[in-house]
Amino acid sequence: MQRIINEPSLVVEDMLKGFERCHKDIIHIDDDNPRVVISNFAKDKKKVGIVTGGGSGHKPAFVGYCGKGMVDAVAVGEIFSSPTAKSFYDCIRAVDQGMGVACLYGNYAGDNMNVKMAMELAEDDDIQVKVVVANDDVASAPKEDIKKRRGVAGEVLMWKVGGAKAEQGATLDEVIRATQKAIDNTRSVGVGLGPCTIPANGKPNFAIAEGTMEFGIGHHGEPGIRIEKLASATEIAKEMVSLVVEDLPFTNGDEVVALVSGLGATPVMEQYIFFDEVAKNLDSLGISVYKSYVGNYFTSLEMNGVTLTLMKVDDELKECMDAEVETMGLTQLRRT
Amino acid sequence: MQRIINEPSLVVEDMLKGFERCHKDIIHIDDDNPRVVISNFAKDKKKVGIVTGGGSGHKPAFVGYCGKGMVDAVAVGEIFSSPTAKSFYDCIRAVDQGMGVACLYGNYAGDNMNVKMAMELAEDDDIQVKVVVANDDVASAPKEDIKKRRGVAGEVLMWKVGGAKAEQGATLDEVIRATQKAIDNTRSVGVGLGPCTIPANGKPNFAIAEGTMEFGIGHHGEPGIRIEKLASATEIAKEMVSLVVEDLPFTNGDEVVALVSGLGATPVMEQYIFFDEVAKNLDSLGISVYKSYVGNYFTSLEMNGVTLTLMKVDDELKECMDAEVETMGLTQLRRT
């Protein structure tokens, strides 16, 4: 295992120390709970608090989206496993200012259970908490079981929209409505070309044979929908665009935000090659790209592969996507 | 070779198409030379033009630092090889506004030769061009041969300083002076834990045995200064800090900008673990970190490893590092 770490069971602790040290102008770790990261801007003005949380190993997700204009507090789990209910609860308490808290997270059993428990604790404190549960991964369940689908890189767009809406001074109900619309308009799919190794295990957590690729693979190596012979960027993009576009469906005349994320070890060069093919496919379908993101936005350690996410946008979502943001994972200037 | 590409010999062409499509709000490709990327902001005001260039495969370097407040034009080479003299020349012509052009690049034989030829061509056009040649890699030659050293991730800080200085309206001589000071105050070293594969070759371009690491390895797999048994993050950081600090030397009371860059496949989690150890070492030496960057700032395709760069800063360099910038690789808000 070729890794730059100390004790494998302490990688999350050690990472958080370095993360806080590097980004102390943007975030801090809660005094009482070392698994809670809080934005320094969370209480700059009275607004709805935005909370998320999830397993580690997906950097910039989740802590990398904590900051100005996006997420106010993040509950941090072990590698690929849910944060505790206590950590979600501590996040909620840390950012509530009386306007309530929107907890925007991905659809995984552990996260669902722990957020539910955290909400019960918050209810005892009279803090109003509402949730949006990301389920953008089209490959993780058929459309008739859409509520069973997992959340993947579409969460980044969900947090951007929710954070911007809260920053505008919207009520909790308004934040939830806009964010739910964002994720309802979002579809993603991933392809895996190589596995990753959880440090505490020391061995790859799944296998992808040389010369093959796995469509629909999950962020934690959850099995995909099919294994195919490794194809060209042109063919991979065509297949992924079709899986995503047909599911919503996105149609001629739609405007979208496109997000291509590497899974960790895929060179950014390849992500741009892939993105160009995606854009050509969208062009031919009459779908126009309003804004695009290419890079390592939601990874799985050193997994090799990419995800494609499309979000259909209207004026409200565009305004949210264009708003200024300052986090480790995404910083955007205000367009003047 | 598990890659998302089309024709291996066309990866640079294909990447540039996706890059321009994604970042059309920041950069464009020159109409006449497809290997020249130009900032859309290059002529927003009269200023010294900032040019760089280098081989591909190092993303965000080099094209990812083209934009507002940093580099105005980038000459793009094939994977790991220099751009042509013509491309450097076309960059110079594209961004000169009569105040001259600062060409800020790394010390490699091909780049030196091609920049020299480009300068001769520019001279015929009465364009004044001056250069700063980055030589921050302490492992690439002994200190008495400092001019033989290669430029590595310190180039990112060099571009930031040069870009900010030009943005301030400084003359060419002032830009060159501040940028030369930046690189003279900068030292880097890298460690490799795994190789990368150039698409057109299809095989790793060097080997690093499992359980070992190579100190001082170059960005293109140039041999390092020693191969050691793979150690902990604590030990690796100690050794790298010592190589960098003793060379300048950085001393008690110095303030530095620290940049930790992954080489491609090293999870960002590990880079934060490593950074925390670096910062502890600097603390114990009485060297304070003014500003820090951790992430994939200068990569070598999917190479596994990290580089450490320190730049000693004074008030002028701090002001340059804090200035607003908008590029694919680095975006910073103005601090108000």
Side-chain angles (χ1 to χ4, degrees), chain B residues 16-27:
Chain B
L16 284 172
K17 284 179 202 154
F19 189 79
E20 184 182 37
R21 223 192 250 265
C22 185
H23 301 292
K24 55 184 180 293
D25 52 335
I26 300 178
I27 58 89

Side-chain angles (χ1 to χ4, degrees), chain A residues 124-153:
Chain A
D124 297 342
D125 297 341
D126 290 323
I127 301 174
Q128 200 183 11
V129 183
K130 297 193 175 183
V131 301
V132 176
V133 186
N135 58 341
D136 51 307
D137 183 0
V138 301
S140 53
K143 199 171 176 182
E144 52 271 26
D145 281 331
I146 197 163
K147 301 237 158 185
K148 290 190 183 161
R149 287 180 176 174
R150 297 183 294 256
V152 284

Side-chain angles (χ1 to χ4, degrees), chain B residues 20-270:
Chain B
E20 184 182 37
R21 223 192 250 265
C22 185
H23 301 292
K24 55 184 180 293
D25 52 335
I26 300 178
I27 58 89
H28 61 278
I29 293 175
D30 183 68
D31 287 339
D32 299 319
N33 186 337
R35 294 306 178 96
V36 166
V37 172
I38 303 171
S39 164
N40 297 347
F41 307 95
K43 293 192 169 175
D44 274 5
K45 60 173 160 191
K46 188 159 177 176
K47 65 176 200 68
V48 169
I50 304 290
V51 163
T52 192
S56 293
H58 299 296
K59 210 155 257 69
F62 297 77
V63 290
Y65 296 110
C66 189
K68 191 177 174 184
M70 215 157 161
V71 176
D72 293 309
V74 177
V76 181
E78 283 301 307
I79 302 286
F80 293 178
S81 61
S82 176
T84 62
K86 172 77 164 58
S87 293
F88 276 114
Y89 171 57
D90 288 344
C91 284
I92 290 166
R93 283 200 308 174
V95 304
D96 178 58
Q97 299 185 77
M99 286 182 71
V101 172
C103 186
L104 316 176
Y105 69 100
N107 187 29
Y108 295 89
D111 296 314
N112 285 325
M113 182 185 73
N114 290 313
V115 168
K116 191 164 174 247
M117 286 166 63
M119 286 173 75
E120 287 165 8
L121 293 167
E123 205 177 352
D124 297 341
D125 297 340
D126 289 323
I127 302 174
Q128 200 184 11
V129 182
K130 297 195 172 183
V131 302
V132 175
V133 186
N135 59 341
D136 51 307
D137 183 359
V138 302
S140 53
K143 200 171 176 180
E144 53 270 26
D145 282 331
I146 196 163
K147 300 235 159 186
K148 291 190 182 161
R149 287 180 175 174
R150 297 184 293 257
V152 285
E155 294 180 38
V156 178
L157 307 181
M158 171 179 78
W159 297 321
K160 180 73 186 74
V161 168
K165 205 70 201 171
E167 202 70 29
Q168 288 169 15
T171 64
L172 179 57
D173 283 341
E174 285 168 342
V175 170
I176 293 293
R177 178 195 50 73
T179 312
Q180 186 66 55
K181 176 170 73 176
I183 207 69
D184 287 345
N185 281 6
T186 299
R187 295 293 186 275
S188 299
V189 73
V191 65
L193 278 73
C196 60
T197 296
I198 297 176
N201 296 352
K203 291 207 174 73
N205 60 338
F206 55 98
I208 295 175
E210 181 81 17
T212 70
M213 59 184 174
E214 186 163 344
F215 270 96
I217 195 161
H219 266 161
H220 316 95
E222 296 94 338
I225 46 178
R226 54 180 176 265
I227 293 166
E228 294 181 15
K229 191 161 169 286
L230 182 60
S232 68
T234 307
E235 292 163 291
I236 297 172
K238 190 169 185 225
E239 196 163 344
M240 289 174 76
V241 167
S242 147
L243 280 164
V244 162
V245 163
E246 287 165 19
D247 192 87
L248 187 66
F250 297 84
T251 56
N252 193 308
D254 282 350
E255 276 187 288
V256 298
V257 168
L259 184 153
V260 168
S261 179
L263 286 172
T266 298
V268 179
M269 180 177 75
E270 295 177 34

Side-chain angles (χ1 to χ4, degrees), chain A residues 1-6 10-12 14-26 41 56-57 59-60 68 79 191-194 199 208-213 230-236 264-277 279-280 283 289-296 301-302 304-306 324-326 328 331-336, chain B residues 1-6 10-12 14-26 41 56-57 59-60 68 79 191-194 199 208-213 230-236 264-277 279-280 283 289-296 301-302 304-306 324-326 328 331-336:
Chain A
M1 191 172 54
Q2 295 291 85
R3 295 204 170 282
I4 303 175
I5 57 173
N6 290 314
L10 296 178
V11 288
V12 176
D14 292 349
M15 173 274 286
L16 284 172
K17 285 179 202 154
F19 188 80
E20 185 182 38
R21 224 192 251 262
C22 185
H23 301 292
K24 53 183 180 294
D25 52 334
I26 299 177
F41 307 94
S56 294
K59 208 156 260 67
K68 190 176 175 185
I79 301 285
V191 64
L193 279 71
I208 295 174
E210 182 80 17
T212 70
M213 58 183 176
L230 181 59
S232 67
T234 306
E235 292 164 293
I236 297 172
T266 298
V268 179
M269 179 177 75
E270 295 177 34
Q271 300 172 34
Y272 282 108
I273 294 172
F274 172 74
F275 171 70
D276 193 52
E277 297 294 337
K280 280 190 232 168
D283 279 353
V289 178
Y290 175 72
K291 201 178 183 81
S292 46
Y293 299 90
V294 176
N296 294 323
L301 294 169
E302 79 287 13
N304 185 1
V306 294
E324 185 176 275
V325 60
E326 185 180 19
M328 167 259 170
T331 296
Q332 285 180 189
L333 304 185
R334 188 175 291 118
R335 283 275 174 231
T336 46
Chain B
M1 192 172 54
Q2 295 291 86
R3 294 204 170 283
I4 302 174
I5 58 173
N6 291 314
L10 295 178
V11 288
V12 176
D14 292 349
M15 172 274 286
L16 284 172
K17 284 179 202 154
F19 189 79
E20 184 182 37
R21 223 192 250 265
C22 185
H23 301 292
K24 55 184 180 293
D25 52 335
I26 300 178
F41 307 95
S56 293
K59 210 155 257 69
K68 191 177 174 184
I79 302 286
V191 65
L193 278 73
I208 295 175
E210 181 81 17
T212 70
M213 59 184 174
L230 182 60
S232 68
T234 307
E235 292 163 291
I236 297 172
T266 298
V268 179
M269 180 177 75
E270 295 177 34
Q271 300 173 35
Y272 282 108
I273 294 172
F274 172 74
F275 171 70
D276 193 52
E277 298 294 336
K280 281 190 232 168
D283 279 353
V289 177
Y290 175 71
K291 200 178 185 83
S292 45
Y293 299 91
V294 176
N296 294 324
L301 294 170
E302 78 288 13
N304 185 1
V306 293
E324 185 175 277
V325 59
E326 185 180 18
M328 167 258 171
T331 296
Q332 285 180 187
L333 305 185
R334 186 176 291 118
R335 283 275 173 229
T336 45

Side-chain angles (χ1 to χ4, degrees), chain A residues 302-313:
Chain A
E302 79 287 13
M303 198 167 150
N304 185 1
V306 294
T307 59
L308 169 64
T309 299
L310 298 180
M311 175 171 74
K312 180 176 165 175
V313 289

